[in-house]
């Protein structure tokens, strides 16, 4: 199908990148994680609305900022 795609390179080890991918997936965001890379692919539908993008950015920020010194990334 048609849609958008963006990749985010993470500055962390692969285990933390996997944990971030799982957390976003559990929250309902369509993401992909390639083995061996700290890269997160985000695949929203072509019809995505601004509120959905804002929700993803907010959630990603919260997940990255959890537990200072022990955050996911």
């Amino acid at each position: 199908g048609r849609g958008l795609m963006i990749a985010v390179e993470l500055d962390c080890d692969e285990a933390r990148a996997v944990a971030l991918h799982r957390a976003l997936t559990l929250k309902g965001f369509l993401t992909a994680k390639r083995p061996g890379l700290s890269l997160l692919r985000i695949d929203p539908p072509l019809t995505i609305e601004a509120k959905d993008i804002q929700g993803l950015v907010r959630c990603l920020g919260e997940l990255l900022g959890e537990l200072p010194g022990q955050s996911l990334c």
Side-chain angles (χ1 to χ4, degrees):
R2 301 192 78 171
L4 305 172
M5 181 174 39
I6 187 167
V8 178
E9 187 175 359
L10 304 167
D11 186 19
C12 63
D13 61 30
E14 186 176 3
R16 289 184 179 197
V18 168
L20 179 61
H21 167 254
R22 287 183 181 152
L24 286 169
T25 301
L26 289 173
K27 292 182 180 286
F29 296 104
L30 186 58
T31 63
K33 167 72 185 71
R34 300 250 346 240
L37 300 173
S38 290
L39 190 74
L40 186 67
R41 196 177 78 206
I42 303 167
D43 300 311
L46 194 57
T47 57
I48 192 167
E49 296 182 11
K51 66 180 176 78
D52 298 321
I53 295 170
Q54 292 166 349
L56 171 65
V57 170
R58 187 178 322 107
C59 182
L60 187 56
E62 290 171 0
L63 290 170
L64 290 173
E66 284 181 354
L67 303 173
Q70 298 179 17
S71 62
L72 291 172
C73 286

